[in-house]
């Protein structure tokens, strides 16, 4: 018998301003004057869809970008300011047909009721291609924008003295997602009757109070938005260590992780699978994607020269939580297949310069992976869950009332 071919890998791109390198906005292809226009984002997502990518994520935050970890800065030589990620996704959705749209939402200062209806609406607008990337923040200046709570200053997420605070923020995010998921289910799929002759628009017995009572939230429900087309849009999260790995294992459909080699990838996947079992989700599908920053050119020297030029403009070498790849599409394909063999089911690539590295992904990397039989040649499903091989889940409240 011939060996079973490896499963095709999944690809996403993370869109952040003009790119992940802080000097990217100074590149001729960067279009900084268009950054706050709908057309700029529509063009990027159209390019990603041209490359048959599974989805895009859109970065967001509750304060200006900063070169410091938890504090604002006074820099004027880097992009500062964003459009709202959920609204970008909603604007782009009608202009696309297949690609998933996954905006970032910050759970720490955002009510789950608002997020549930925003992402449900995005799922309707996109006809089943919505997701969210849940994020926390421990920045005191962002808390000050809301005035509802204070966040004590910490030095780092992984500092021993801050573990209780950080654990609490991730536990809050887990409850946030739980409330969002319950609200998505608070309308049964056939709750809308829409019978003009009888005057019945909804079946009130098929709308449910979720009655969530926890340490961080008390939410009765139901939602004001009918159950989304996917039932449950995709929930995703970035994780670097055990506490956020636990959030991924408890609540996510996709976790983004940052291994720098295959050995680290195996260890991270093993830890997440163990946490998944502890959370009682051992039988549920959970994708683990590796994040990689890419400087992608037709030859190695050109990629290295471009990275050096950007570093010189920034005044310091670029660093990242994720692995930084500098090279050719074929070399990147080698790396992704190696990490895929270590247990990662897909990758979220971060283009260093969106105007350069995104087309290099779609027109260089994707054809290379297709030649190797490692990536799709056409979209094979109409929803984001379908692209990722995830079934549409049953509504938890139908089971309760059956």
């Amino acid at each position: 018998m011939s060996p079973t071919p490896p499963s095709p890998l999944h690809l996403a791109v993370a869109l952040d301003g003009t790119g992940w390198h802080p000097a990217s906005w100074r590149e001729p292809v960067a279009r900084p004057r268009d950054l706050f226009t709908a057309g700029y984002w529509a063009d990027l997502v159209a390019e990603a869809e041209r490359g048959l990518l599974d989805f895009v994520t859109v970065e967001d935050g509750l304060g200006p970008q900063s070169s410091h970890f938890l504090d604002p800065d006074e820099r004027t030589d880097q992009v500062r300011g964003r459009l709202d990620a959920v609204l970008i996704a909603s604007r782009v959705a009608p202009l696309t047909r297949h690609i998933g749209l996954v905006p970032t939402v910050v759970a720490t200062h955002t009510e789950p009721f608002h997020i549930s209806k925003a992402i449900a609406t995005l799922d309707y607008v996109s006809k089943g291609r919505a997701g969210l990337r849940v994020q926390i923040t421990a920045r005191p200046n962002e808390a000050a924008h809301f005035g509802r709570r204070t966040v004590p200053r910490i030095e780092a997420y992984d500092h021993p003295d801050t573990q209780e605070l950080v654990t609490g923020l991730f536990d809050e995010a887990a409850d946030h997602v739980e409330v969002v998921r319950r609200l998505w289910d608070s309308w049964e799929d056939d709750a809308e009757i829409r019978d003009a002759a009888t005057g019945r628009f909804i079946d009130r017995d098929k709308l449910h109070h979720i009655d969530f009572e926890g340490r961080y939230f008390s939410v009765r429900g139901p939602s004001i938005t009918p159950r989304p087309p996917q039932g449950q849009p995709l929930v995703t999260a970035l994780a670097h260590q055990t506490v956020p790995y636990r959030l991924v294992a408890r609540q996510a459909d996709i976790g983004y992780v940052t291994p720098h080699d295959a050995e680290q990838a195996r260890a991270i996947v093993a830890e997440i699978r163990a946490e998944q079992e502890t959370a009682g989700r051992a039988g549920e599908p959970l994708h683990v994607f590796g994040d990689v920053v890419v400087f992608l050119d037709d030859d190695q020297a050109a990629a290295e020269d471009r990275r050096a030029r950007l570093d010189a403009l920034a005044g310091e070498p670029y660093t990242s939580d994720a692995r930084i790849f500098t090279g050719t599409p074929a070399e990147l394909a080698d790396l992704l297949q190696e990490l895929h063999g270590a247990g990662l089911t897909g990758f979220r690539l971060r283009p260093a310069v969106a105007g350069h590295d995104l087309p290099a992904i779609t027109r260089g990397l994707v054809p290379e992976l297709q030649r190797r039989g490692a990536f799709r040649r056409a979209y094979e499903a109409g929803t984001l869950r379908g692209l990722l091989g995830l079934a549409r889940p049953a509504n938890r409240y139908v089971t309760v009332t059956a």
Side-chain angles (χ1 to χ4, degrees):
M1 291 178 62
S2 59
T4 302
S7 59
L9 55 83
H10 296 280
L11 282 181
V13 290
L15 301 178
D16 186 13
T18 57
W20 286 79
H21 194 288
S24 59
W25 70 277
R26 300 177 69 179
E27 286 285 271
V29 295
R31 300 172 60 191
R33 292 184 182 276
D34 298 333
L35 181 56
F36 301 115
T37 68
Y40 173 84
W41 294 95
D43 289 347
L44 290 182
V45 179
E47 182 62 41
E49 187 170 65
R50 193 172 294 119
L52 306 177
L53 304 189
D54 290 77
F55 60 92
V56 298
T57 63
V58 183
E59 296 299 300
D60 208 342
L62 299 177
Q65 299 94 314
S66 176
S67 57
H68 302 317
F69 178 55
L70 291 171
D71 295 312
D73 65 15
E74 301 300 327
R75 298 188 73 150
T76 60
D77 63 332
Q78 298 177 3
V79 171
R80 295 291 180 265
R82 304 180 188 275
L83 300 181
D84 182 275
V86 174
L87 294 179
I88 288 173
S90 292
R91 178 66 183 86
V92 170
L95 307 178
T96 56
R97 294 182 58 198
H98 303 287
I99 195 165
L101 301 164
V102 182
T104 296
V105 300
V106 183
T108 310
H109 301 296
T110 312
E111 292 296 332
F113 188 90
H114 293 154
I115 294 305
S116 74
K117 68 187 182 72
I119 301 300
T121 299
L122 177 60
D123 209 40
Y124 276 102
V125 172
S126 65
K127 299 181 179 178
R129 295 181 284 122
L132 65 85
R133 181 173 89 86
V134 64
Q135 181 175 292
I136 68 155
T137 176
R139 292 188 170 192
N141 69 301
E142 295 186 4
H145 289 162
F146 297 87
R148 295 181 180 177
R149 65 196 289 185
T150 58
V151 176
R153 176 171 172 74
I154 65 176
E155 295 303 321
Y157 283 130
D158 57 356
H159 193 280
D161 295 341
T162 64
Q163 280 303 292
E164 184 177 355
L165 170 64
V166 172
T167 299
L169 290 171
F170 278 101
D171 284 345
E172 179 184 40
D175 278 3
H176 187 286
V177 174
E178 179 63 22
V179 173
V180 167
R181 287 191 180 281
R182 292 189 190 191
L183 286 167
W184 285 336
D185 277 351
S186 65
W187 288 54
E188 294 184 26
D189 287 319
D190 56 352
E192 299 161 86
I193 300 169
R194 306 185 194 188
D195 188 337
T198 63
R200 293 186 71 205
F201 188 86
I202 61 169
D203 183 341
R204 192 61 186 79
D205 292 336
K206 295 188 177 183
L207 272 61
H208 301 278
H209 295 130
I210 69 168
D211 292 328
F212 183 91
E213 292 284 348
R215 178 180 171 188
Y216 305 98
F217 303 103
S218 175
V219 180
R220 187 160 189 253
S223 175
I224 65 166
T225 309
R227 194 171 192 236
Q230 293 183 101
Q232 292 276 317
L234 270 285
V235 175
T236 76
L238 173 64
H240 299 102
Q241 53 170 298
T242 298
V243 171
Y245 292 158
R246 199 167 292 142
L247 168 65
V248 167
R250 288 166 65 186
Q251 286 290 7
D253 301 294
I254 304 173
Y256 313 116
V257 298
T258 55
H260 286 245
D261 56 38
E263 183 180 357
Q264 278 190 354
R266 286 189 191 92
I268 291 169
V269 170
E271 183 171 1
I272 289 175
R273 298 301 179 204
E275 291 287 355
Q276 191 180 358
E277 186 168 356
T278 301
R281 295 184 66 204
E284 296 181 29
L286 170 60
H287 284 287
V288 183
F289 278 30
D291 270 23
V292 184
V293 179
V294 297
F295 295 81
L296 203 56
D297 283 277
D298 289 337
D299 75 58
Q300 178 83 31
E304 291 175 351
D305 288 348
R306 186 162 59 90
R307 180 175 173 184
R309 186 178 72 252
L310 287 164
D311 286 351
L313 289 170
E316 59 189 358
Y318 176 70
T319 59
S320 175
D321 57 315
R323 176 162 177 167
I324 303 172
F325 172 86
T326 308
T328 68
E331 291 166 338
L332 180 55
D334 290 341
L335 172 64
L336 299 188
Q337 289 192 295
E338 179 187 3
L339 295 173
H340 186 48
L344 299 179
T345 53
F347 299 91
R348 187 175 71 140
L349 304 179
R350 306 179 188 178
V353 179
H356 179 110
D357 294 296
L358 176 57
I361 290 166
T362 59
R363 305 176 193 199
L365 173 67
V366 166
E368 178 64 30
L369 289 171
Q370 289 171 332
R371 280 193 290 273
R372 302 179 185 200
F375 193 65
R376 67 170 62 89
R377 291 184 176 272
Y379 281 111
E380 61 280 293
T383 67
L384 180 52
R385 294 190 72 92
L387 289 178
L388 291 159
L390 303 175
R392 188 179 190 275
N395 187 317
R396 72 194 72 195
Y397 297 110
V398 174
T399 304
V400 168
T401 58

